[in-house]
Amino acid sequence: KIAHASAKVLRDPNSSKVQKELAWSALSQYKNSKTTSECIEDIAQGVLLSPKYSRITKSLAGSVFSQSN
């Protein structure tokens, strides 16, 4: 599910920079079981705490944040 959402975001030319960063991080973790960098973790936390982001962005942020240290 997250891999599909990430791919959709990355293919969409209208996706924001935040969405693309979260999508790349989520895909990287999905394929390699990597942990989240502190920078991406901060972005994900900000997305999760803000009401302005879409459901797909929050899903990606949740996935990325769940892989944090």
Coordinates of all heavy atoms in Angstrom, one line a residue:
K1 N 0.8 -1.2 0.0 CA 0.0 0.0 0.0 C 0.9 1.3 0.0 O 0.6 2.2 -0.8 CB -0.9 0.0 1.2 CG -1.9 1.1 1.3 CD -2.8 1.0 2.4 CE -3.7 2.2 2.5 NZ -4.6 2.2 3.6
I2 N 1.9 1.3 0.9 CA 2.7 2.5 1.0 C 3.6 2.6 -0.3 O 3.8 3.7 -0.8 CB 3.6 2.5 2.2 CG1 2.7 2.7 3.5 CG2 4.7 3.5 2.2 CD1 2.0 4.1 3.5
A3 N 4.0 1.5 -0.8 CA 4.9 1.5 -2.0 C 4.0 2.0 -3.2 O 4.5 2.8 -4.0 CB 5.4 0.1 -2.3
H4 N 2.8 1.6 -3.3 CA 1.9 2.1 -4.3 C 1.6 3.6 -4.2 O 1.7 4.4 -5.2 CB 0.5 1.3 -4.3 CG -0.5 1.8 -5.3 ND1 -0.3 1.6 -6.6 CD2 -1.6 2.6 -5.1 CE1 -1.4 2.1 -7.2 NE2 -2.1 2.7 -6.4
A5 N 1.4 4.1 -2.9 CA 1.1 5.5 -2.7 C 2.4 6.3 -3.0 O 2.3 7.4 -3.6 CB 0.7 5.7 -1.2
S6 N 3.5 5.8 -2.7 CA 4.8 6.5 -3.0 C 5.0 6.6 -4.4 O 5.4 7.7 -4.9 CB 6.0 5.7 -2.3 OG 5.9 5.7 -0.9
A7 N 4.8 5.5 -5.2 CA 4.9 5.6 -6.6 C 4.0 6.6 -7.3 O 4.4 7.3 -8.2 CB 4.7 4.2 -7.2
K8 N 2.7 6.6 -6.8 CA 1.8 7.5 -7.3 C 2.2 9.0 -7.1 O 2.1 9.8 -8.0 CB 0.4 7.3 -6.6 CG -0.7 8.2 -7.1 CD -2.0 7.8 -6.4 CE -3.1 8.7 -6.8 NZ -4.4 8.5 -6.2
V9 N 2.7 9.3 -5.9 CA 3.2 10.6 -5.6 C 4.4 11.0 -6.5 O 4.5 12.1 -7.0 CB 3.6 10.7 -4.1 CG1 4.4 11.9 -3.8 CG2 2.3 10.7 -3.2
L10 N 5.3 10.1 -6.6 CA 6.5 10.3 -7.4 C 6.2 10.5 -8.9 O 6.9 11.3 -9.6 CB 7.5 9.2 -7.2 CG 8.1 9.2 -5.8 CD1 9.0 7.9 -5.6 CD2 8.9 10.4 -5.5
R11 N 5.2 9.9 -9.4 CA 4.8 10.1 -10.8 C 4.0 11.3 -11.1 O 3.9 11.8 -12.2 CB 4.0 8.9 -11.3 CG 4.8 7.6 -11.6 CD 3.9 6.6 -12.3 NE 2.7 6.2 -11.6 CZ 2.6 5.1 -10.8 NH1 3.6 4.3 -10.7 NH2 1.5 4.9 -10.2
D12 N 3.4 11.9 -10.0 CA 2.5 13.1 -10.2 C 3.3 14.3 -10.2 O 4.0 14.7 -9.2 CB 1.5 13.1 -9.0 CG 0.5 14.2 -9.1 OD1 0.7 15.1 -10.0 OD2 -0.4 14.2 -8.3
P13 N 3.3 15.1 -11.3 CA 4.1 16.3 -11.4 C 3.6 17.4 -10.5 O 4.3 18.4 -10.3 CB 3.9 16.7 -12.9 CG 2.7 16.1 -13.4 CD 2.5 14.8 -12.6
N14 N 2.4 17.2 -10.0 CA 1.9 18.2 -9.0 C 2.2 17.9 -7.6 O 1.7 18.7 -6.7 CB 0.4 18.4 -9.2 CG 0.0 18.9 -10.6 OD1 0.7 19.8 -11.1 ND2 -1.0 18.3 -11.3
S15 N 2.8 16.8 -7.3 CA 3.2 16.5 -5.9 C 4.2 17.5 -5.4 O 5.1 18.0 -6.1 CB 3.8 15.1 -5.8 OG 2.9 14.1 -6.2
S16 N 4.0 17.8 -4.1 CA 4.8 18.8 -3.4 C 6.2 18.2 -3.1 O 6.4 17.0 -3.1 CB 4.2 19.3 -2.1 OG 4.2 18.3 -1.2
K17 N 7.2 19.1 -2.8 CA 8.5 18.7 -2.4 C 8.4 17.8 -1.1 O 9.1 16.7 -1.1 CB 9.4 19.9 -2.1 CG 10.8 19.5 -1.7 CD 11.6 20.8 -1.5 CE 13.0 20.3 -1.0 NZ 13.8 21.5 -0.6
V18 N 7.6 18.1 -0.2 CA 7.4 17.4 1.0 C 6.9 16.0 0.7 O 7.4 15.0 1.2 CB 6.5 18.1 2.0 CG1 6.1 17.2 3.2 CG2 7.1 19.3 2.6
Q19 N 5.9 15.9 -0.1 CA 5.3 14.6 -0.5 C 6.4 13.7 -1.2 O 6.5 12.5 -0.9 CB 4.2 14.8 -1.5 CG 2.9 15.2 -0.9 CD 1.8 15.4 -1.9 OE1 2.0 16.0 -3.0 NE2 0.6 14.9 -1.6
K20 N 7.2 14.3 -2.1 CA 8.2 13.5 -2.8 C 9.3 13.1 -1.8 O 9.8 11.9 -1.9 CB 8.8 14.3 -3.9 CG 7.8 14.4 -5.1 CD 8.3 15.2 -6.3 CE 7.2 15.2 -7.3 NZ 7.7 15.7 -8.6
E21 N 9.7 13.9 -0.9 CA 10.7 13.5 0.1 C 10.2 12.3 1.0 O 11.0 11.4 1.2 CB 11.1 14.7 1.0 CG 12.0 15.7 0.3 CD 12.3 16.9 1.1 OE1 11.7 17.1 2.3 OE2 13.1 17.8 0.7
L22 N 9.0 12.4 1.4 CA 8.4 11.4 2.2 C 8.2 10.1 1.4 O 8.5 9.0 1.9 CB 7.1 11.8 2.8 CG 7.1 12.9 3.9 CD1 5.7 13.4 4.2 CD2 7.8 12.4 5.1
A23 N 7.8 10.2 0.1 CA 7.7 9.1 -0.7 C 9.0 8.4 -1.0 O 9.1 7.1 -0.9 CB 7.0 9.5 -2.1
W24 N 10.1 9.1 -1.3 CA 11.4 8.5 -1.5 C 11.8 7.8 -0.2 O 12.4 6.7 -0.3 CB 12.4 9.5 -1.9 CG 12.4 9.9 -3.3 CD1 12.2 11.1 -3.9 CD2 12.7 9.0 -4.4 NE1 12.2 11.0 -5.2 CE2 12.6 9.7 -5.6 CE3 13.0 7.6 -4.5 CZ2 12.8 9.1 -6.8 CZ3 13.2 7.1 -5.7 CH2 13.1 7.8 -6.9
S25 N 11.6 8.4 1.0 CA 12.0 7.8 2.2 C 11.2 6.5 2.5 O 11.8 5.5 2.9 CB 11.8 8.8 3.4 OG 12.3 8.2 4.6
A26 N 9.9 6.6 2.3 CA 9.1 5.4 2.5 C 9.5 4.2 1.6 O 9.6 3.1 2.0 CB 7.6 5.7 2.3
L27 N 9.8 4.5 0.3 CA 10.2 3.5 -0.6 C 11.6 2.9 -0.2 O 11.8 1.7 -0.3 CB 10.3 4.0 -2.1 CG 9.0 4.1 -2.9 CD1 9.3 4.7 -4.2 CD2 8.4 2.7 -3.0
S28 N 12.5 3.8 0.2 CA 13.8 3.3 0.6 C 13.7 2.4 1.8 O 14.3 1.3 1.9 CB 14.6 4.5 1.0 OG 15.9 4.1 1.5
Q29 N 12.8 2.7 2.7 CA 12.6 1.8 3.9 C 11.9 0.5 3.5 O 12.2 -0.5 4.0 CB 11.7 2.6 4.9 CG 12.5 3.7 5.6 CD 11.5 4.6 6.4 OE1 10.3 4.3 6.5 NE2 12.1 5.7 6.9
Y30 N 11.0 0.6 2.6 CA 10.2 -0.5 2.2 C 11.1 -1.6 1.5 O 11.0 -2.8 1.8 CB 9.1 -0.1 1.2 CG 8.3 -1.2 0.5 CD1 7.4 -1.8 1.3 CD2 8.6 -1.6 -0.8 CE1 6.6 -2.9 0.7 CE2 7.9 -2.6 -1.3 CZ 6.9 -3.3 -0.6 OH 6.2 -4.3 -1.2
K31 N 12.1 -1.1 0.7 CA 12.9 -2.0 -0.1 C 14.1 -2.5 0.7 O 14.7 -3.5 0.5 CB 13.4 -1.4 -1.4 CG 12.3 -1.2 -2.4 CD 12.8 -0.9 -3.7 CE 11.7 -0.9 -4.7 NZ 11.8 -1.9 -5.7
N32 N 14.6 -1.6 1.7 CA 15.9 -1.9 2.3 C 15.8 -2.0 3.8 O 16.9 -2.1 4.5 CB 16.9 -0.9 1.9 CG 17.1 -0.8 0.4 OD1 17.4 -1.8 -0.2 ND2 17.1 0.3 -0.1
S33 N 14.7 -1.8 4.4 CA 14.5 -1.8 5.9 C 15.4 -0.8 6.6 O 16.0 -1.1 7.6 CB 14.8 -3.2 6.4 OG 13.9 -4.2 5.9
K34 N 15.6 0.3 5.9 CA 16.4 1.4 6.5 C 15.6 2.1 7.5 O 14.4 2.1 7.6 CB 16.9 2.4 5.4 CG 17.9 1.8 4.4 CD 18.3 2.8 3.5 CE 19.3 2.3 2.5 NZ 19.8 3.3 1.5
T35 N 16.3 2.9 8.4 CA 15.6 3.7 9.4 C 15.6 5.1 8.8 O 16.3 5.5 7.9 CB 16.3 3.7 10.8 OG1 17.7 4.1 10.6 CG2 16.2 2.3 11.4
T36 N 14.7 5.9 9.4 CA 14.5 7.3 9.0 C 15.6 8.2 9.5 O 16.0 8.2 10.6 CB 13.2 7.8 9.5 OG1 12.2 6.9 9.1 CG2 12.8 9.2 9.0
S37 N 16.1 9.1 8.6 CA 17.0 10.2 9.0 C 16.3 11.2 9.9 O 15.1 11.3 9.9 CB 17.6 10.9 7.8 OG 16.7 11.7 7.2
E38 N 17.1 11.9 10.7 CA 16.5 12.8 11.7 C 15.8 14.0 10.9 O 14.7 14.4 11.3 CB 17.6 13.4 12.6 CG 17.0 14.3 13.7 CD 18.1 14.7 14.7 OE1 19.0 14.0 14.9 OE2 17.9 15.8 15.2
C39 N 16.3 14.4 9.8 CA 15.7 15.4 9.0 C 14.3 15.0 8.5 O 13.3 15.7 8.6 CB 16.6 15.8 7.8 SG 15.9 17.0 6.7
I40 N 14.2 13.8 7.9 CA 13.0 13.3 7.4 C 12.0 13.0 8.5 O 10.8 13.3 8.4 CB 13.2 12.1 6.5 CG1 14.0 12.4 5.3 CG2 11.9 11.4 6.1 CD1 13.3 13.3 4.3
E41 N 12.5 12.6 9.6 CA 11.7 12.3 10.8 C 11.0 13.7 11.2 O 9.8 13.7 11.6 CB 12.5 11.8 11.9 CG 11.8 11.4 13.2 CD 12.7 10.8 14.2 OE1 13.6 10.0 13.9 OE2 12.5 11.1 15.4
D42 N 11.8 14.8 11.3 CA 11.2 16.1 11.6 C 10.1 16.5 10.6 O 9.1 17.0 11.0 CB 12.3 17.1 11.7 CG 13.2 16.9 12.9 OD1 12.9 16.2 13.8 OD2 14.3 17.5 12.9
I43 N 10.3 16.3 9.4 CA 9.3 16.6 8.3 C 8.1 15.8 8.6 O 7.0 16.3 8.5 CB 9.9 16.4 6.9 CG1 11.0 17.4 6.6 CG2 8.8 16.4 5.9 CD1 11.8 17.1 5.4
A44 N 8.3 14.5 8.8 CA 7.1 13.6 9.0 C 6.3 14.0 10.2 O 5.1 14.0 10.2 CB 7.6 12.1 9.1
Q45 N 7.0 14.3 11.3 CA 6.3 14.8 12.5 C 5.5 16.0 12.3 O 4.4 16.2 12.7 CB 7.3 15.0 13.6 CG 6.6 15.3 14.9 CD 7.6 15.5 16.1 OE1 8.8 15.6 15.9 NE2 7.1 15.5 17.3
G46 N 6.1 17.0 11.5 CA 5.4 18.2 11.2 C 4.1 18.0 10.4 O 3.1 18.6 10.6
V47 N 4.2 17.1 9.4 CA 3.1 16.7 8.6 C 2.0 16.1 9.4 O 0.8 16.4 9.3 CB 3.5 15.7 7.5 CG1 2.3 15.1 6.8 CG2 4.4 16.5 6.4
L48 N 2.4 15.2 10.3 CA 1.4 14.5 11.2 C 0.7 15.5 12.1 O -0.5 15.2 12.5 CB 2.0 13.4 11.9 CG 2.5 12.2 11.1 CD1 3.3 11.2 11.9 CD2 1.3 11.5 10.4
L49 N 1.3 16.5 12.6 CA 0.8 17.4 13.5 C 0.0 18.6 12.8 O -0.7 19.3 13.5 CB 1.9 18.0 14.4 CG 2.6 17.1 15.3 CD1 3.7 17.7 16.0 CD2 1.6 16.5 16.3
S50 N 0.1 18.7 11.5 CA -0.5 19.8 10.8 C -1.8 19.4 10.2 O -1.9 18.3 9.6 CB 0.4 20.3 9.8 OG -0.2 21.3 9.0
P51 N -2.9 20.2 10.2 CA -4.1 19.9 9.6 C -4.1 20.2 8.1 O -5.1 19.8 7.4 CB -5.1 20.8 10.3 CG -4.4 22.0 10.7 CD -3.0 21.4 11.0
K52 N -3.1 20.8 7.6 CA -3.1 21.3 6.2 C -2.7 20.2 5.1 O -2.9 20.4 4.0 CB -2.2 22.5 6.0 CG -0.8 22.3 6.0 CD 0.0 23.5 5.7 CE 1.5 23.3 5.5 NZ 2.2 24.4 5.1
Y53 N -2.2 19.1 5.6 CA -1.7 18.1 4.6 C -2.8 17.0 4.3 O -3.6 16.7 5.1 CB -0.5 17.3 5.2 CG 0.7 18.3 5.2 CD1 1.1 18.9 6.4 CD2 1.5 18.5 4.1 CE1 2.2 19.7 6.4 CE2 2.6 19.4 4.1 CZ 2.9 20.0 5.3 OH 4.0 20.8 5.3
S54 N -2.7 16.5 3.1 CA -3.7 15.5 2.6 C -3.5 14.2 3.3 O -2.5 13.9 3.9 CB -3.5 15.3 1.1 OG -2.3 14.7 0.8
R55 N -4.5 13.3 3.1 CA -4.5 12.0 3.7 C -3.3 11.2 3.2 O -2.6 10.4 3.9 CB -5.8 11.3 3.4 CG -5.9 9.9 4.1 CD -7.3 9.3 4.0 NE -8.0 9.7 2.8 CZ -8.7 8.9 2.1 NH1 -8.8 7.6 2.4 NH2 -9.4 9.3 1.0
I56 N -3.0 11.3 1.9 CA -1.9 10.5 1.3 C -0.5 11.0 1.9 O 0.3 10.2 2.2 CB -1.8 10.5 -0.2 CG1 -0.9 9.5 -0.7 CG2 -1.5 11.9 -0.8 CD1 -1.0 9.2 -2.2
T57 N -0.4 12.3 2.1 CA 0.8 12.8 2.7 C 1.0 12.3 4.1 O 2.0 12.0 4.6 CB 0.8 14.4 2.6 OG1 0.6 14.8 1.3 CG2 2.2 14.9 3.1
K58 N -0.1 12.3 4.9 CA -0.1 11.9 6.2 C 0.2 10.4 6.3 O 0.9 9.9 7.2 CB -1.4 12.2 7.0 CG -1.5 13.7 7.3 CD -2.7 14.0 8.1 CE -2.8 15.4 8.5 NZ -2.1 15.8 9.7
S59 N -0.3 9.6 5.4 CA 0.0 8.2 5.3 C 1.5 7.9 5.1 O 2.1 7.1 5.8 CB -0.8 7.5 4.2 OG -2.2 7.5 4.5
L60 N 2.0 8.6 4.2 CA 3.5 8.5 3.9 C 4.3 9.0 5.2 O 5.2 8.3 5.5 CB 3.9 9.4 2.7 CG 3.4 8.9 1.4 CD1 3.6 9.9 0.3 CD2 4.0 7.6 1.0
A61 N 3.9 10.0 5.8 CA 4.5 10.5 7.0 C 4.5 9.5 8.1 O 5.4 9.3 8.8 CB 3.9 11.9 7.4
G62 N 3.3 8.9 8.3 CA 3.1 7.9 9.3 C 4.0 6.7 9.1 O 4.6 6.1 10.0
S63 N 4.1 6.3 7.8 CA 5.0 5.1 7.5 C 6.5 5.5 7.8 O 7.2 4.7 8.4 CB 4.8 4.8 6.0 OG 5.7 3.8 5.6
V64 N 6.9 6.6 7.3 CA 8.2 7.1 7.5 C 8.5 7.2 9.0 O 9.6 6.8 9.5 CB 8.5 8.4 6.8 CG1 9.8 9.1 7.3 CG2 8.5 8.2 5.3
F65 N 7.6 7.8 9.8 CA 7.8 8.1 11.2 C 7.9 6.7 12.0 O 8.6 6.6 12.9 CB 6.7 9.0 11.7 CG 7.1 9.6 13.0 CD1 8.0 10.7 13.1 CD2 6.5 9.2 14.2 CE1 8.3 11.3 14.3 CE2 6.8 9.8 15.4 CZ 7.7 10.8 15.5
S66 N 7.1 5.8 11.5 CA 7.1 4.5 12.2 C 8.4 3.7 12.1 O 8.7 2.8 12.9 CB 6.0 3.6 11.7 OG 6.3 3.1 10.4
Q67 N 9.3 4.1 11.1 CA 10.6 3.5 11.0 C 11.7 4.4 11.6 O 12.9 4.1 11.4 CB 10.9 3.4 9.5 CG 10.0 2.4 8.7 CD 10.2 1.0 9.2 OE1 11.2 0.6 9.5 NE2 9.0 0.3 9.4
S68 N 11.3 5.4 12.4 CA 12.3 6.2 13.0 C 12.9 5.5 14.2 O 12.4 4.6 14.8 CB 11.7 7.6 13.4 OG 10.7 7.4 14.4
N69 N 14.1 6.1 14.7 CA 14.8 5.5 15.8 C 14.1 5.8 17.1 O 13.7 6.7 17.5 CB 16.2 5.9 15.9 CG 17.0 5.3 14.7 OD1 16.7 4.2 14.4 ND2 17.9 6.0 14.2

